[in-house]
Amino acid sequence: LLTVAVLGLLLYYLLMGTPPIIGEAPPSGPAVASNYLVAADNWQFDENGLRSHQLSVADMKFFDSAGVSIITEPRLALYTDGEPSWSVRADHGLLNDQEEHIRLSGEVVLRSLDGGPRLDTTEMDIYPRSKLAKSDQAVAVSDGSSQLTANTMEADLDKRRVTLKHKVEGSYRAGD
């Protein structure tokens, strides 16, 4: 029976190719990351054992000397009382391990999961444990038929409070 299993596994690898965990190693040397993760998920829990947040990335390169990780295609789910409440996605990010801070860049979208507002910007700082978000870049907030824009914003996601700052403009379209 063991022989059949081994032959079956060998046949599978021959037909399907090398499994991803045996892929080509990343480069090494003084100017490269100390650790690489591919398709990684990380769950964090609060002091009561409830989910606090989940970070999923396409890949992560950790640099020991700087205490930072460069992440690609980050997806962050924030939880309130163990239930998902906000989601964030971006093209890229920089994770600061000392401050538990993530700087997201590219197309950044922060969305309330209860049908509330959506915030779009090109750069955003997220503090997952304290559930705070900040951006010093132009931000657009849409919620149903209303749209607001501002040059900067701060958000307390637990309190569901978004503060728009500097050149705030808005529009509202009445329903048909």
Side-chain angles (χ1 to χ4, degrees):
L1 184 60
L2 181 61
T3 305
V4 172
V6 171
L7 288 175
L9 191 58
L10 182 60
L11 180 61
Y12 173 80
Y13 288 142
L14 289 174
L15 294 174
M16 301 306 288
T18 305
I21 57 173
I22 305 177
E24 197 173 311
S28 61
V32 297
S34 56
N35 292 300
Y36 287 82
L37 293 173
V38 177
D41 290 313
N42 177 281
W43 289 269
Q44 296 287 319
F45 297 87
D46 66 17
E47 62 279 354
N48 298 317
L50 298 174
R51 286 186 200 178
S52 170
H53 56 278
Q54 174 188 353
L55 176 63
S56 300
V57 297
D59 65 64
M60 178 184 289
K61 298 173 185 84
F62 179 70
F63 297 86
D64 279 327
S65 59
V68 298
S69 298
I70 297 173
I71 52 180
T72 305
E73 296 178 19
R75 304 291 183 259
L76 180 66
L78 299 170
Y79 292 77
T80 302
D81 298 324
E83 297 298 321
S85 54
W86 293 86
S87 70
V88 188
R89 67 174 170 79
D91 296 329
H92 308 282
L94 185 67
L95 176 63
N96 183 320
D97 298 322
Q98 299 299 319
E99 298 176 18
E100 293 189 9
H101 161 245
I102 305 170
R103 170 156 281 204
L104 301 171
S105 60
E107 182 182 343
V108 181
V109 178
L110 172 64
R111 180 185 303 265
S112 170
L113 296 178
D114 66 358
R118 170 186 164 137
L119 291 82
D120 293 89
T121 188
T122 58
E123 197 170 275
M124 184 180 292
D125 294 303
I126 300 281
Y127 300 85
R129 286 221 183 266
S130 57
K131 307 246 184 337
L132 298 175
K134 298 178 181 183
S135 180
D136 59 2
Q137 300 297 311
V139 62
V141 180
S142 56
D143 189 4
S145 59
S146 63
Q147 171 119 0
L148 298 169
T149 58
N151 284 355
T152 65
M153 75 88 189
E154 292 181 4
D156 183 330
L157 303 175
D158 255 353
K159 294 180 180 175
R160 301 185 47 76
R161 182 182 312 148
V162 177
T163 304
L164 300 175
K165 300 179 177 183
H166 308 291
K167 295 188 180 179
V168 178
E169 295 181 7
S171 65
Y172 174 78
R173 186 176 62 199
D176 295 320

